[in-house]
Amino acid sequence: MSSGRNLYVVVAVIVAVGLFAAGLAVWQNSGSEEGWRFAGYIQRLGLVVPVCYVIGAVGVIWLGWCSLRLAGGITSIAAWLRRDKPAEIKPAGNAILNCLVEAINTAFESRTSRVAQLDGQVKDLQIQIQLSHRREKNTEAIIYSIRDAVIVVDEYDKLLTANEAAGRLLGFDYENAHHKPIDELVGADYGEFVDFLTQSKKSKGRATRREIELTKDEVPKTFDCVVSCVFDQRQQICGAAAVLHDITREKEVSQMKNDFVGHVSHELKTPLASITAYSEMLADGEADDEETRKEFYSVIQNQAKRLNRLIEDILNISRIESGLIKVSREPASLAMLIEEQLQMIKSYAEEKNIEVVGQKPIVFDQVRVDKDMISQVIVNLLSNAVKYTPAGGSVKIDTEVDEIARLARVNVTDTGVGIPEDEVEHVFEKFYRVGANKKQAKGTGLGLNLVKQIVEKFHDGRVFVTSKVGVGSTFGFELPLATGEPVVARASSP
Amino acid sequence: MTDKKVLVVDDEIHIVHVVAIKLRNNGYEVVTADNGAQAFELACKENPDIIVTDFQMPIMTGLELVEKLRGNEATKDVPVIMLTARSFAISKEQQEDLQISGCLSKPFSPRELLGNIEDILYQKELIADKG
């Protein structure tokens, strides 16, 4: 590098001396006294001047050649730099250019390495962005797929996200509601929810829970509302997420279970109360004569049977539902089964002054049934009819055979209180009791459900009911004749 | 022998029967009803000294009967004993508000019921004497 620089200095000095000599010659020719004197000195140097001229010319040529090489080198460097994917530059053979090339190569390597590093970082960031987008989409998809209403607000109570269930429940367009204040979105009808949401956020608790009553389409519903505060990295609250889970059905079921337990315990305790009281009376010698004592014994015996029936009912329902019950189907006459149960129900009906009318046995109503189960069905329908018929009324039971449809039908018709039209379809549901008739008689809401399960689940039959308030009801069931097909398959009407 | 009259109300005929026998055997006059509405009419008509009623009955429950009795001038002070198959059916507050003198859980002892009736009527007499 330094030798190159020295060469340049020598050439430059020679060119300068040559040019100086040429200048002096010109000056000498101008005719001034100082010019002659100086020219005299120069002439004494002999061939120095021409040599200097030659050297100067060679230097100029050499400089030109160097300039050309430099220009060529710079051009090739420029061309190389313009390439998309430049390979390493080969040394140009010129010290300056070599130096430049080395510097460029070093800088390029450094930049290439830096670019590669940055490129890697960019790719990482792109992947992270894609992952972030995917996570966001996944989170949104999860939120949107949740059946519960989900609402997320920021620290200023403006909506960040909400799912379709939330929009449907609280009445707003969930896709176009972002960044709108939640209280403006949901309206005054849902003020309790908004208050709970904002209060929970202010409380800075991790999660708060409350049961909230909301009316949707004029139907009151109960929601289990859980609000969780959302914290940022500095543990500052940056929003809140609310989840509203509809527990209306659970509440109803819970209420039904409570009612059922209440009814069952009442039903069980009533015969037990009689047994206890009459036993104590006998023990205390309160029954003066033999006739009274016999009456007391009879009451105890009957109440014990009643208690047993109740327990059987409850156990039957439980067994039927658990699928543990064993069904023994055999040929039987429905009319004969009815006749057997009529005797038992008549004594109960007489207590209430209700007439129970049977019919003459029909010879060909042979069905394949579990006799105990179908007897239970007949008893339940008859006792229900008596229970809901006022004193002086009547209950009629008959069978008919449909030879074309190959089925036998049993009808139990009463002159009882009847069932309101909107409740008829529910009477076979478990625990269901007709609201208007609850005070008419006690019950567990199990009897008709047991009838339905026995007939439809175990005998391929069908139950039906028609009723008119104040006139009476007809409950009944159809069973396939011993050689017939399942009644449910034909879905025939009574 | 006592001249006291007891109204016994229950839709369960056997319970009414056994309570009536127990009370009659011990010198009480007994009138009976099988639902709340009928009981209210009898209470107004017969003017009983004490009423023994079931809690859960058709047409009118025991509580509804007591509410109606308390709202009627002629029956507002008559003592009431409630028989109930549900132990927690009546709260202490309800019992105090409706001046229900006693609650017996089913199954109950006729002997215990008789004892309660005697105690309540004795207290009533003492209060009446002081008054």
Side-chain angles (χ1 to χ4, degrees):
Chain A
M1 183 71 191
S2 59
S3 60
R5 193 184 298 146
N6 293 338
L7 183 65
Y8 286 123
V9 172
V10 171
V11 170
V13 169
I14 291 166
V15 170
V17 171
L19 290 174
F20 175 71
L24 201 62
V26 173
W27 185 42
Q28 187 185 19
N29 291 335
S30 67
S32 67
E33 189 179 341
E34 290 84 3
W36 279 110
R37 198 183 303 144
F38 195 73
Y41 296 140
I42 296 298
Q43 281 173 351
R44 285 179 205 151
L45 295 174
L47 289 173
V48 169
V49 172
V51 170
C52 285
Y53 270 110
V54 171
I55 291 169
V58 169
V60 168
I61 291 163
W62 184 79
L63 275 175
W65 178 76
C66 282
S67 299
L68 284 173
R69 279 197 69 187
L70 189 64
I74 290 169
T75 306
S76 65
I77 290 168
W80 169 79
L81 287 172
R82 275 198 294 271
R83 285 184 208 158
D84 288 339
K85 289 180 181 175
E88 191 178 335
I89 306 173
K90 291 175 183 174
N94 178 294
I96 298 167
L97 285 179
N98 285 349
C99 182
L100 181 62
V101 165
E102 272 177 33
I104 287 172
N105 274 338
T106 309
F108 182 75
E109 277 170 19
S110 163
R111 293 296 180 272
T112 306
S113 156
R114 180 69 183 143
V115 166
Q117 195 182 350
L118 288 174
D119 197 36
Q121 286 179 0
V122 167
K123 279 178 183 166
D124 282 350
L125 284 172
Q126 281 174 339
I127 290 168
Q128 282 180 17
I129 288 167
Q130 280 176 354
L131 281 173
S132 177
H133 277 303
R134 193 176 295 173
R135 280 197 207 105
E136 192 182 334
K137 291 283 175 197
N138 283 346
T139 309
E140 276 186 355
I142 290 167
I143 289 174
Y144 290 162
S145 67
I146 293 172
R147 283 180 61 193
D148 294 338
V150 180
I151 293 160
V152 184
V153 294
D154 64 11
E155 55 190 312
Y156 306 109
D157 294 329
K158 289 182 177 175
L159 189 78
L160 285 179
T161 189
N163 63 359
E164 192 183 351
R168 210 170 42 238
L169 173 67
L170 300 172
F172 63 84
D173 179 6
Y174 74 102
E175 286 176 314
N176 300 305
H178 296 290
H179 306 299
K180 290 183 182 169
I182 189 72
D183 53 347
E184 287 177 19
L185 277 174
V186 303
D189 289 347
Y190 304 110
E192 188 187 353
F193 164 68
V194 175
D195 288 347
F196 178 55
L197 180 63
T198 49
Q199 280 168 17
S200 300
K201 195 156 63 65
K202 281 178 191 162
S203 74
K204 298 183 179 177
R206 287 283 167 187
T208 45
R209 170 174 249 148
R210 185 193 287 179
E211 273 185 22
I212 290 180
E213 298 279 341
L214 297 175
T215 302
K216 184 69 188 162
D217 299 331
E218 298 181 358
V219 179
K221 286 178 173 274
T222 310
F223 288 87
D224 179 26
C225 181
V226 179
V227 175
S228 307
C229 292
V230 181
F231 295 89
D232 61 15
Q233 290 173 334
R234 293 170 296 151
Q235 291 303 304
Q236 298 294 314
I237 287 182
C238 59
V243 179
L244 290 140
H245 175 60
D246 188 348
I247 54 167
T248 313
R249 184 65 190 149
E250 283 95 324
K251 294 278 278 184
E252 283 172 0
V253 170
S254 171
Q255 185 58 45
M256 280 202 301
K257 278 184 182 169
N258 287 340
D259 289 348
F260 170 68
V261 171
H263 281 305
V264 165
S265 68
H266 183 272
E267 290 293 302
L268 293 175
K269 278 186 173 186
T270 301
L272 198 59
S274 292
I275 292 167
T276 309
Y278 280 87
S279 309
E280 187 189 292
M281 291 287 277
L282 283 167
D284 286 357
E286 298 272 4
D288 298 331
D289 50 73
E290 190 58 29
E291 193 182 339
T292 310
R293 275 194 290 278
K294 276 186 178 172
E295 184 200 339
F296 282 15
Y297 288 131
S298 171
V299 169
I300 291 168
Q301 211 170 16
N302 286 335
Q303 292 303 306
K305 283 180 186 169
R306 178 179 165 187
L307 193 57
N308 186 50
R309 269 201 315 275
L310 275 166
I311 292 168
E312 283 297 321
D313 258 8
I314 295 163
L315 289 177
N316 279 341
I317 283 277
S318 172
R319 277 197 292 247
I320 284 173
E321 290 194 337
S322 63
L324 295 173
I325 201 159
K326 192 182 173 189
V327 187
S328 306
R329 290 173 74 166
E330 56 185 311
S333 161
L334 274 176
M336 293 304 289
L337 291 176
I338 289 168
E339 196 58 32
E340 284 170 23
Q341 304 310 318
L342 266 178
Q343 299 309 317
M344 196 171 74
I345 212 73
K346 271 181 178 169
S347 61
Y348 171 45
E350 277 167 13
E351 279 182 21
K352 283 192 73 180
N353 189 27
I354 292 166
E355 185 189 16
V356 178
V357 184
Q359 65 164 24
K360 289 176 185 174
I362 295 172
V363 181
F364 302 111
D365 64 348
Q366 291 284 311
V367 286
R368 275 185 62 80
V369 294
D370 182 308
K371 284 184 182 175
D372 290 341
M373 280 186 162
I374 294 300
S375 296
Q376 170 100 61
V377 167
I378 294 163
V379 166
N380 281 9
L381 290 181
L382 282 171
S383 61
N384 253 20
V386 172
K387 203 191 276 186
Y388 292 100
T389 299
S394 69
V395 172
K396 183 184 165 194
I397 181 163
D398 59 55
T399 62
E400 53 185 310
V401 172
D402 186 336
E403 285 290 353
I404 298 166
R406 302 295 298 156
L407 58 86
R409 186 179 299 130
V410 176
N411 301 301
V412 179
T413 306
D414 63 54
T415 58
V417 290
I419 302 160
E421 201 176 333
D422 57 336
E423 296 197 68
V424 169
E425 61 182 302
H426 299 294
V427 293
F428 288 105
E429 290 174 11
K430 193 165 63 174
F431 307 140
Y432 191 85
R433 299 202 65 217
V434 176
N437 299 347
K438 273 185 185 170
K439 289 183 175 180
Q440 182 68 27
K442 295 169 184 172
T444 56
L446 288 177
L448 286 177
N449 183 257
L450 196 61
V451 167
K452 184 181 170 71
Q453 297 213 46
I454 289 173
V455 170
E456 295 188 353
K457 200 168 177 178
F458 296 106
H459 292 89
D460 306 317
R462 189 179 74 93
V463 293
F464 58 85
V465 56
T466 54
S467 188
K468 195 169 182 183
V469 174
V471 177
S473 309
T474 297
F475 282 83
F477 61 92
E478 292 173 345
L479 294 175
L481 289 172
T483 55
E485 291 173 7
V487 175
V488 282
R490 286 187 235 107
S492 59
S493 57
Chain B
M1 201 65 187
T2 169
D3 55 349
K4 302 295 181 192
K5 189 188 283 184
V6 185
L7 171 59
V8 181
V9 195
D10 200 315
D11 60 325
E12 195 63 31
I13 190 168
H14 303 300
I15 297 292
V16 172
H17 190 50
V18 76
V19 172
I21 291 173
K22 182 76 182 178
L23 294 176
R24 283 187 187 123
N25 284 354
N26 286 276
Y28 289 88
E29 186 185 346
V30 180
V31 282
T32 63
D34 64 7
N35 67 65
Q38 191 190 1
F40 180 70
E41 280 178 28
L42 275 174
C44 296
K45 191 176 152 192
E46 298 283 342
N47 201 19
D49 295 285
I50 188 166
I51 296 171
V52 177
T53 179
D54 186 22
F55 170 72
Q56 192 174 336
M57 291 183 294
I59 301 173
M60 186 189 286
T61 68
L63 269 188
E64 288 167 344
L65 169 64
V66 180
E67 279 170 7
K68 208 165 176 189
L69 289 170
R70 296 297 173 243
N72 182 283
E73 187 57 33
T75 57
K76 67 182 172 63
D77 294 322
V78 62
V80 172
I81 292 177
M82 189 81 77
L83 302 175
T84 170
R86 298 186 186 187
S87 309
F88 304 103
I90 306 163
S91 66
K92 283 276 175 198
E93 288 75 25
Q94 277 178 315
Q95 211 172 313
E96 283 171 15
D97 288 349
L98 293 170
Q99 299 164 46
I100 295 170
S101 307
C103 283
L104 282 183
S105 284
K106 284 182 176 178
F108 65 97
S109 153
R111 205 184 305 133
E112 189 186 352
L113 174 64
L114 179 67
N116 279 9
I117 290 171
E118 284 170 348
D119 287 349
I120 291 163
L121 291 178
Y122 178 65
Q123 281 174 22
K124 191 181 169 189
E125 271 180 20
L126 283 180
I127 292 165
D129 288 348
K130 280 183 186 173

